[in-house]
Amino acid sequence: MKRFASITLVLFGMILGCGAASVAPIARSWAQQPAGRWECFVVDRFPDVEDARSWSGAANITAGLNRVARQVASGTILNLTPKSGGAASVACVKY
């Protein structure tokens, strides 16, 4: 009887594990852009990521980089100054 119970528990654990493994890849974070896309942020608006992303200058740079720099390797980071002079105020990341 103990052997039957232990086999049943092992089989139930395997079924539960396989079910979780089949569902886990579907879960996705909406915080990042899809792979292969640029995302730019104005750095003085951090830690609010949505505010940093939605600034018009960062959105324009994002659109431009996604058009002309698709071939750049993932993980590339750019520090840009959209206006002349001053410190870098926009950070762009290639996902």
Side-chain angles (χ1 to χ4, degrees):
M1 188 66 175
K2 286 185 180 184
R3 183 177 177 141
F4 178 74
S6 62
I7 291 173
T8 304
L9 284 174
V10 169
L11 289 176
F12 179 72
M14 289 173 55
I15 291 170
L16 189 63
C18 289
S22 67
V23 174
I26 297 171
R28 177 169 185 239
S29 170
W30 296 104
Q32 293 183 349
Q33 280 285 357
R37 308 264 312 159
W38 283 96
E39 187 65 40
C40 297
F41 308 91
V42 62
V43 296
D44 65 350
R45 297 191 182 183
F46 281 135
D48 186 354
V49 176
E50 282 304 315
D51 190 30
R53 179 185 294 141
S54 65
W55 180 66
S56 62
N60 290 339
I61 295 169
T62 297
L65 287 173
N66 283 326
R67 263 188 242 137
V68 300
R70 292 184 201 133
Q71 75 285 359
V72 177
S74 294
T76 302
I77 298 173
L78 297 176
N79 294 318
L80 305 170
T81 304
K83 298 177 183 168
S84 61
S89 60
V90 175
C92 298
V93 180
K94 175 73 181 279
Y95 289 99

PDB file of all heavy atoms in Angstrom, residues 2-34:
ATOM      1  N   LYS A   2       1.949   1.258   0.806  1.00  0.00           N
ATOM      2  CA  LYS A   2       2.828   2.421   0.840  1.00  0.00           C
ATOM      3  C   LYS A   2       3.504   2.619  -0.513  1.00  0.00           C
ATOM      4  O   LYS A   2       3.720   3.743  -0.946  1.00  0.00           O
ATOM      5  CB  LYS A   2       3.880   2.263   1.932  1.00  0.00           C
ATOM      6  CG  LYS A   2       3.345   2.444   3.317  1.00  0.00           C
ATOM      7  CD  LYS A   2       4.466   2.394   4.320  1.00  0.00           C
ATOM      8  CE  LYS A   2       3.926   2.567   5.721  1.00  0.00           C
ATOM      9  NZ  LYS A   2       4.990   2.614   6.710  1.00  0.00           N
ATOM     10  N   ARG A   3       3.822   1.508  -1.176  1.00  0.00           N
ATOM     11  CA  ARG A   3       4.463   1.604  -2.475  1.00  0.00           C
ATOM     12  C   ARG A   3       3.516   2.238  -3.489  1.00  0.00           C
ATOM     13  O   ARG A   3       3.910   3.077  -4.296  1.00  0.00           O
ATOM     14  CB  ARG A   3       4.900   0.217  -2.932  1.00  0.00           C
ATOM     15  CG  ARG A   3       5.639   0.226  -4.217  1.00  0.00           C
ATOM     16  CD  ARG A   3       6.099  -1.167  -4.582  1.00  0.00           C
ATOM     17  NE  ARG A   3       6.746  -1.119  -5.862  1.00  0.00           N
ATOM     18  CZ  ARG A   3       7.809  -1.794  -6.180  1.00  0.00           C
ATOM     19  NH1 ARG A   3       8.342  -2.602  -5.293  1.00  0.00           N
ATOM     20  NH2 ARG A   3       8.328  -1.702  -7.365  1.00  0.00           N
ATOM     21  N   PHE A   4       2.250   1.856  -3.474  1.00  0.00           N
ATOM     22  CA  PHE A   4       1.255   2.427  -4.383  1.00  0.00           C
ATOM     23  C   PHE A   4       1.087   3.927  -4.130  1.00  0.00           C
ATOM     24  O   PHE A   4       1.025   4.723  -5.066  1.00  0.00           O
ATOM     25  CB  PHE A   4      -0.096   1.701  -4.213  1.00  0.00           C
ATOM     26  CG  PHE A   4      -1.170   2.280  -5.080  1.00  0.00           C
ATOM     27  CD1 PHE A   4      -1.182   2.044  -6.442  1.00  0.00           C
ATOM     28  CD2 PHE A   4      -2.174   3.078  -4.527  1.00  0.00           C
ATOM     29  CE1 PHE A   4      -2.164   2.579  -7.251  1.00  0.00           C
ATOM     30  CE2 PHE A   4      -3.156   3.619  -5.321  1.00  0.00           C
ATOM     31  CZ  PHE A   4      -3.161   3.368  -6.687  1.00  0.00           C
ATOM     32  N   ALA A   5       1.068   4.317  -2.862  1.00  0.00           N
ATOM     33  CA  ALA A   5       0.916   5.732  -2.521  1.00  0.00           C
ATOM     34  C   ALA A   5       2.131   6.535  -2.979  1.00  0.00           C
ATOM     35  O   ALA A   5       1.988   7.639  -3.518  1.00  0.00           O
ATOM     36  CB  ALA A   5       0.704   5.889  -1.021  1.00  0.00           C
ATOM     37  N   SER A   6       3.335   6.002  -2.810  1.00  0.00           N
ATOM     38  CA  SER A   6       4.524   6.733  -3.223  1.00  0.00           C
ATOM     39  C   SER A   6       4.603   6.845  -4.740  1.00  0.00           C
ATOM     40  O   SER A   6       4.986   7.885  -5.276  1.00  0.00           O
ATOM     41  CB  SER A   6       5.783   6.094  -2.648  1.00  0.00           C
ATOM     42  OG  SER A   6       5.939   4.783  -3.123  1.00  0.00           O
ATOM     43  N   ILE A   7       4.235   5.793  -5.455  1.00  0.00           N
ATOM     44  CA  ILE A   7       4.216   5.845  -6.925  1.00  0.00           C
ATOM     45  C   ILE A   7       3.177   6.857  -7.393  1.00  0.00           C
ATOM     46  O   ILE A   7       3.427   7.635  -8.317  1.00  0.00           O
ATOM     47  CB  ILE A   7       3.952   4.438  -7.515  1.00  0.00           C
ATOM     48  CG1 ILE A   7       5.162   3.535  -7.266  1.00  0.00           C
ATOM     49  CG2 ILE A   7       3.643   4.523  -8.993  1.00  0.00           C
ATOM     50  CD1 ILE A   7       4.945   2.094  -7.664  1.00  0.00           C
ATOM     51  N   THR A   8       2.030   6.881  -6.757  1.00  0.00           N
ATOM     52  CA  THR A   8       0.979   7.831  -7.109  1.00  0.00           C
ATOM     53  C   THR A   8       1.443   9.264  -6.883  1.00  0.00           C
ATOM     54  O   THR A   8       1.218  10.142  -7.722  1.00  0.00           O
ATOM     55  CB  THR A   8      -0.294   7.549  -6.285  1.00  0.00           C
ATOM     56  OG1 THR A   8      -0.694   6.200  -6.500  1.00  0.00           O
ATOM     57  CG2 THR A   8      -1.414   8.476  -6.694  1.00  0.00           C
ATOM     58  N   LEU A   9       2.118   9.522  -5.769  1.00  0.00           N
ATOM     59  CA  LEU A   9       2.631  10.862  -5.496  1.00  0.00           C
ATOM     60  C   LEU A   9       3.680  11.286  -6.521  1.00  0.00           C
ATOM     61  O   LEU A   9       3.694  12.428  -6.976  1.00  0.00           O
ATOM     62  CB  LEU A   9       3.201  10.933  -4.085  1.00  0.00           C
ATOM     63  CG  LEU A   9       2.179  11.002  -2.951  1.00  0.00           C
ATOM     64  CD1 LEU A   9       2.881  10.922  -1.606  1.00  0.00           C
ATOM     65  CD2 LEU A   9       1.370  12.274  -3.056  1.00  0.00           C
ATOM     66  N   VAL A  10       4.563  10.360  -6.896  1.00  0.00           N
ATOM     67  CA  VAL A  10       5.594  10.680  -7.890  1.00  0.00           C
ATOM     68  C   VAL A  10       4.949  10.995  -9.235  1.00  0.00           C
ATOM     69  O   VAL A  10       5.304  11.975  -9.898  1.00  0.00           O
ATOM     70  CB  VAL A  10       6.616   9.528  -8.012  1.00  0.00           C
ATOM     71  CG1 VAL A  10       7.513   9.722  -9.224  1.00  0.00           C
ATOM     72  CG2 VAL A  10       7.450   9.420  -6.754  1.00  0.00           C
ATOM     73  N   LEU A  11       3.998  10.186  -9.653  1.00  0.00           N
ATOM     74  CA  LEU A  11       3.316  10.428 -10.928  1.00  0.00           C
ATOM     75  C   LEU A  11       2.539  11.745 -10.898  1.00  0.00           C
ATOM     76  O   LEU A  11       2.544  12.513 -11.871  1.00  0.00           O
ATOM     77  CB  LEU A  11       2.389   9.265 -11.269  1.00  0.00           C
ATOM     78  CG  LEU A  11       3.088   7.967 -11.675  1.00  0.00           C
ATOM     79  CD1 LEU A  11       2.065   6.862 -11.891  1.00  0.00           C
ATOM     80  CD2 LEU A  11       3.921   8.184 -12.918  1.00  0.00           C
ATOM     81  N   PHE A  12       1.883  12.030  -9.794  1.00  0.00           N
ATOM     82  CA  PHE A  12       1.157  13.293  -9.662  1.00  0.00           C
ATOM     83  C   PHE A  12       2.115  14.477  -9.739  1.00  0.00           C
ATOM     84  O   PHE A  12       1.842  15.476 -10.388  1.00  0.00           O
ATOM     85  CB  PHE A  12       0.369  13.328  -8.343  1.00  0.00           C
ATOM     86  CG  PHE A  12      -0.383  14.604  -8.143  1.00  0.00           C
ATOM     87  CD1 PHE A  12      -1.511  14.880  -8.896  1.00  0.00           C
ATOM     88  CD2 PHE A  12       0.047  15.536  -7.215  1.00  0.00           C
ATOM     89  CE1 PHE A  12      -2.197  16.064  -8.717  1.00  0.00           C
ATOM     90  CE2 PHE A  12      -0.629  16.720  -7.031  1.00  0.00           C
ATOM     91  CZ  PHE A  12      -1.765  16.994  -7.787  1.00  0.00           C
ATOM     92  N   GLY A  13       3.288  14.350  -9.098  1.00  0.00           N
ATOM     93  CA  GLY A  13       4.301  15.412  -9.156  1.00  0.00           C
ATOM     94  C   GLY A  13       4.820  15.617 -10.563  1.00  0.00           C
ATOM     95  O   GLY A  13       5.043  16.749 -11.002  1.00  0.00           O
ATOM     96  N   MET A  14       5.009  14.533 -11.299  1.00  0.00           N
ATOM     97  CA  MET A  14       5.474  14.647 -12.682  1.00  0.00           C
ATOM     98  C   MET A  14       4.427  15.327 -13.554  1.00  0.00           C
ATOM     99  O   MET A  14       4.758  16.182 -14.380  1.00  0.00           O
ATOM    100  CB  MET A  14       5.819  13.264 -13.233  1.00  0.00           C
ATOM    101  CG  MET A  14       7.084  12.677 -12.623  1.00  0.00           C
ATOM    102  SD  MET A  14       7.411  10.966 -13.120  1.00  0.00           S
ATOM    103  CE  MET A  14       7.410  11.079 -14.886  1.00  0.00           C
ATOM    104  N   ILE A  15       3.178  14.969 -13.376  1.00  0.00           N
ATOM    105  CA  ILE A  15       2.102  15.582 -14.150  1.00  0.00           C
ATOM    106  C   ILE A  15       1.999  17.069 -13.818  1.00  0.00           C
ATOM    107  O   ILE A  15       1.873  17.910 -14.714  1.00  0.00           O
ATOM    108  CB  ILE A  15       0.765  14.857 -13.892  1.00  0.00           C
ATOM    109  CG1 ILE A  15       0.807  13.455 -14.498  1.00  0.00           C
ATOM    110  CG2 ILE A  15      -0.414  15.654 -14.442  1.00  0.00           C
ATOM    111  CD1 ILE A  15      -0.347  12.572 -14.096  1.00  0.00           C
ATOM    112  N   LEU A  16       2.079  17.390 -12.551  1.00  0.00           N
ATOM    113  CA  LEU A  16       2.026  18.795 -12.128  1.00  0.00           C
ATOM    114  C   LEU A  16       3.214  19.577 -12.683  1.00  0.00           C
ATOM    115  O   LEU A  16       3.059  20.699 -13.183  1.00  0.00           O
ATOM    116  CB  LEU A  16       2.001  18.864 -10.600  1.00  0.00           C
ATOM    117  CG  LEU A  16       1.732  20.230  -9.986  1.00  0.00           C
ATOM    118  CD1 LEU A  16       0.337  20.713 -10.369  1.00  0.00           C
ATOM    119  CD2 LEU A  16       1.852  20.145  -8.480  1.00  0.00           C
ATOM    120  N   GLY A  17       4.415  19.003 -12.635  1.00  0.00           N
ATOM    121  CA  GLY A  17       5.605  19.661 -13.167  1.00  0.00           C
ATOM    122  C   GLY A  17       5.535  19.878 -14.664  1.00  0.00           C
ATOM    123  O   GLY A  17       5.894  20.947 -15.170  1.00  0.00           O
ATOM    124  N   CYS A  18       5.065  18.885 -15.400  1.00  0.00           N
ATOM    125  CA  CYS A  18       4.929  19.025 -16.855  1.00  0.00           C
ATOM    126  C   CYS A  18       3.880  20.075 -17.206  1.00  0.00           C
ATOM    127  O   CYS A  18       4.051  20.840 -18.150  1.00  0.00           O
ATOM    128  CB  CYS A  18       4.562  17.688 -17.485  1.00  0.00           C
ATOM    129  SG  CYS A  18       5.913  16.501 -17.458  1.00  0.00           S
ATOM    130  N   GLY A  19       2.818  20.125 -16.433  1.00  0.00           N
ATOM    131  CA  GLY A  19       1.804  21.150 -16.666  1.00  0.00           C
ATOM    132  C   GLY A  19       2.340  22.547 -16.434  1.00  0.00           C
ATOM    133  O   GLY A  19       2.092  23.475 -17.211  1.00  0.00           O
ATOM    134  N   ALA A  20       3.114  22.720 -15.381  1.00  0.00           N
ATOM    135  CA  ALA A  20       3.703  24.028 -15.089  1.00  0.00           C
ATOM    136  C   ALA A  20       4.719  24.408 -16.158  1.00  0.00           C
ATOM    137  O   ALA A  20       4.818  25.563 -16.563  1.00  0.00           O
ATOM    138  CB  ALA A  20       4.355  24.015 -13.708  1.00  0.00           C
ATOM    139  N   ALA A  21       5.495  23.440 -16.629  1.00  0.00           N
ATOM    140  CA  ALA A  21       6.502  23.722 -17.663  1.00  0.00           C
ATOM    141  C   ALA A  21       5.861  24.102 -18.983  1.00  0.00           C
ATOM    142  O   ALA A  21       6.420  24.881 -19.754  1.00  0.00           O
ATOM    143  CB  ALA A  21       7.404  22.512 -17.842  1.00  0.00           C
ATOM    144  N   SER A  22       4.678  23.587 -19.262  1.00  0.00           N
ATOM    145  CA  SER A  22       4.026  23.935 -20.516  1.00  0.00           C
ATOM    146  C   SER A  22       3.365  25.311 -20.462  1.00  0.00           C
ATOM    147  O   SER A  22       3.190  25.961 -21.477  1.00  0.00           O
ATOM    148  CB  SER A  22       2.993  22.875 -20.898  1.00  0.00           C
ATOM    149  OG  SER A  22       1.924  22.892 -19.972  1.00  0.00           O
ATOM    150  N   VAL A  23       3.029  25.785 -19.272  1.00  0.00           N
ATOM    151  CA  VAL A  23       2.387  27.090 -19.127  1.00  0.00           C
ATOM    152  C   VAL A  23       3.409  28.202 -18.916  1.00  0.00           C
ATOM    153  O   VAL A  23       3.223  29.321 -19.380  1.00  0.00           O
ATOM    154  CB  VAL A  23       1.389  27.067 -17.946  1.00  0.00           C
ATOM    155  CG1 VAL A  23       0.827  28.441 -17.672  1.00  0.00           C
ATOM    156  CG2 VAL A  23       0.270  26.092 -18.245  1.00  0.00           C
ATOM    157  N   ALA A  24       4.518  27.938 -18.265  1.00  0.00           N
ATOM    158  CA  ALA A  24       5.505  28.967 -17.924  1.00  0.00           C
ATOM    159  C   ALA A  24       6.043  29.742 -19.122  1.00  0.00           C
ATOM    160  O   ALA A  24       6.177  30.953 -19.041  1.00  0.00           O
ATOM    161  CB  ALA A  24       6.643  28.338 -17.127  1.00  0.00           C
ATOM    162  N   PRO A  25       6.343  29.117 -20.267  1.00  0.00           N
ATOM    163  CA  PRO A  25       6.857  29.910 -21.387  1.00  0.00           C
ATOM    164  C   PRO A  25       5.839  30.904 -21.951  1.00  0.00           C
ATOM    165  O   PRO A  25       6.206  31.846 -22.627  1.00  0.00           O
ATOM    166  CB  PRO A  25       7.205  28.865 -22.440  1.00  0.00           C
ATOM    167  CG  PRO A  25       7.389  27.609 -21.693  1.00  0.00           C
ATOM    168  CD  PRO A  25       6.453  27.699 -20.522  1.00  0.00           C
ATOM    169  N   ILE A  26       4.572  30.718 -21.663  1.00  0.00           N
ATOM    170  CA  ILE A  26       3.538  31.614 -22.166  1.00  0.00           C
ATOM    171  C   ILE A  26       3.531  32.920 -21.387  1.00  0.00           C
ATOM    172  O   ILE A  26       3.250  33.977 -21.940  1.00  0.00           O
ATOM    173  CB  ILE A  26       2.153  30.931 -22.093  1.00  0.00           C
ATOM    174  CG1 ILE A  26       2.148  29.709 -23.011  1.00  0.00           C
ATOM    175  CG2 ILE A  26       1.048  31.889 -22.461  1.00  0.00           C
ATOM    176  CD1 ILE A  26       0.940  28.840 -22.856  1.00  0.00           C
ATOM    177  N   ALA A  27       3.878  32.865 -20.116  1.00  0.00           N
ATOM    178  CA  ALA A  27       3.893  34.071 -19.289  1.00  0.00           C
ATOM    179  C   ALA A  27       4.954  35.024 -19.813  1.00  0.00           C
ATOM    180  O   ALA A  27       6.052  34.627 -20.153  1.00  0.00           O
ATOM    181  CB  ALA A  27       4.179  33.704 -17.840  1.00  0.00           C
ATOM    182  N   ARG A  28       4.617  36.324 -19.892  1.00  0.00           N
ATOM    183  CA  ARG A  28       5.539  37.294 -20.464  1.00  0.00           C
ATOM    184  C   ARG A  28       5.443  38.590 -19.696  1.00  0.00           C
ATOM    185  O   ARG A  28       4.361  39.019 -19.325  1.00  0.00           O
ATOM    186  CB  ARG A  28       5.164  37.535 -21.921  1.00  0.00           C
ATOM    187  CG  ARG A  28       6.022  38.567 -22.563  1.00  0.00           C
ATOM    188  CD  ARG A  28       5.806  38.589 -24.044  1.00  0.00           C
ATOM    189  NE  ARG A  28       6.764  39.525 -24.580  1.00  0.00           N
ATOM    190  CZ  ARG A  28       6.435  40.580 -25.269  1.00  0.00           C
ATOM    191  NH1 ARG A  28       5.204  40.810 -25.570  1.00  0.00           N
ATOM    192  NH2 ARG A  28       7.352  41.399 -25.706  1.00  0.00           N
ATOM    193  N   SER A  29       6.580  39.221 -19.543  1.00  0.00           N
ATOM    194  CA  SER A  29       6.606  40.530 -18.902  1.00  0.00           C
ATOM    195  C   SER A  29       6.391  41.591 -19.960  1.00  0.00           C
ATOM    196  O   SER A  29       6.986  41.558 -21.030  1.00  0.00           O
ATOM    197  CB  SER A  29       7.956  40.743 -18.216  1.00  0.00           C
ATOM    198  OG  SER A  29       8.065  42.072 -17.803  1.00  0.00           O
ATOM    199  N   TRP A  30       5.529  42.556 -19.674  1.00  0.00           N
ATOM    200  CA  TRP A  30       5.259  43.635 -20.622  1.00  0.00           C
ATOM    201  C   TRP A  30       6.183  44.819 -20.361  1.00  0.00           C
ATOM    202  O   TRP A  30       6.058  45.854 -21.007  1.00  0.00           O
ATOM    203  CB  TRP A  30       3.808  44.063 -20.520  1.00  0.00           C
ATOM    204  CG  TRP A  30       2.898  42.956 -20.912  1.00  0.00           C
ATOM    205  CD1 TRP A  30       2.166  42.162 -20.081  1.00  0.00           C
ATOM    206  CD2 TRP A  30       2.647  42.469 -22.228  1.00  0.00           C
ATOM    207  NE1 TRP A  30       1.484  41.219 -20.795  1.00  0.00           N
ATOM    208  CE2 TRP A  30       1.752  41.392 -22.115  1.00  0.00           C
ATOM    209  CE3 TRP A  30       3.108  42.824 -23.497  1.00  0.00           C
ATOM    210  CZ2 TRP A  30       1.302  40.687 -23.225  1.00  0.00           C
ATOM    211  CZ3 TRP A  30       2.636  42.116 -24.592  1.00  0.00           C
ATOM    212  CH2 TRP A  30       1.756  41.062 -24.452  1.00  0.00           C
ATOM    213  N   ALA A  31       7.139  44.680 -19.438  1.00  0.00           N
ATOM    214  CA  ALA A  31       8.037  45.777 -19.121  1.00  0.00           C
ATOM    215  C   ALA A  31       9.084  45.990 -20.197  1.00  0.00           C
ATOM    216  O   ALA A  31       9.628  47.068 -20.316  1.00  0.00           O
ATOM    217  CB  ALA A  31       8.726  45.526 -17.786  1.00  0.00           C
ATOM    218  N   GLN A  32       9.395  44.984 -20.990  1.00  0.00           N
ATOM    219  CA  GLN A  32      10.420  45.098 -22.006  1.00  0.00           C
ATOM    220  C   GLN A  32       9.829  45.023 -23.401  1.00  0.00           C
ATOM    221  O   GLN A  32       8.781  44.426 -23.617  1.00  0.00           O
ATOM    222  CB  GLN A  32      11.428  43.966 -21.871  1.00  0.00           C
ATOM    223  CG  GLN A  32      12.245  44.045 -20.631  1.00  0.00           C
ATOM    224  CD  GLN A  32      13.277  42.930 -20.594  1.00  0.00           C
ATOM    225  OE1 GLN A  32      13.231  42.016 -21.390  1.00  0.00           O
ATOM    226  NE2 GLN A  32      14.199  43.022 -19.681  1.00  0.00           N
ATOM    227  N   GLN A  33      10.556  45.605 -24.330  1.00  0.00           N
ATOM    228  CA  GLN A  33      10.200  45.504 -25.737  1.00  0.00           C
ATOM    229  C   GLN A  33      10.449  44.084 -26.222  1.00  0.00           C
ATOM    230  O   GLN A  33      11.237  43.353 -25.635  1.00  0.00           O
ATOM    231  CB  GLN A  33      11.072  46.461 -26.554  1.00  0.00           C
ATOM    232  CG  GLN A  33      10.614  47.885 -26.518  1.00  0.00           C
ATOM    233  CD  GLN A  33       9.388  48.112 -27.370  1.00  0.00           C
ATOM    234  OE1 GLN A  33       8.883  47.220 -28.045  1.00  0.00           O
ATOM    235  NE2 GLN A  33       8.888  49.313 -27.332  1.00  0.00           N
ATOM    236  N   PRO A  34       9.814  43.676 -27.325  1.00  0.00           N
ATOM    237  CA  PRO A  34      10.118  42.373 -27.909  1.00  0.00           C
ATOM    238  C   PRO A  34      11.587  42.299 -28.347  1.00  0.00           C
ATOM    239  O   PRO A  34      12.206  43.326 -28.615  1.00  0.00           O
ATOM    240  CB  PRO A  34       9.200  42.299 -29.117  1.00  0.00           C
ATOM    241  CG  PRO A  34       8.175  43.352 -28.936  1.00  0.00           C
ATOM    242  CD  PRO A  34       8.757  44.381 -28.028  1.00  0.00           C
TER     243      PRO A  34
END
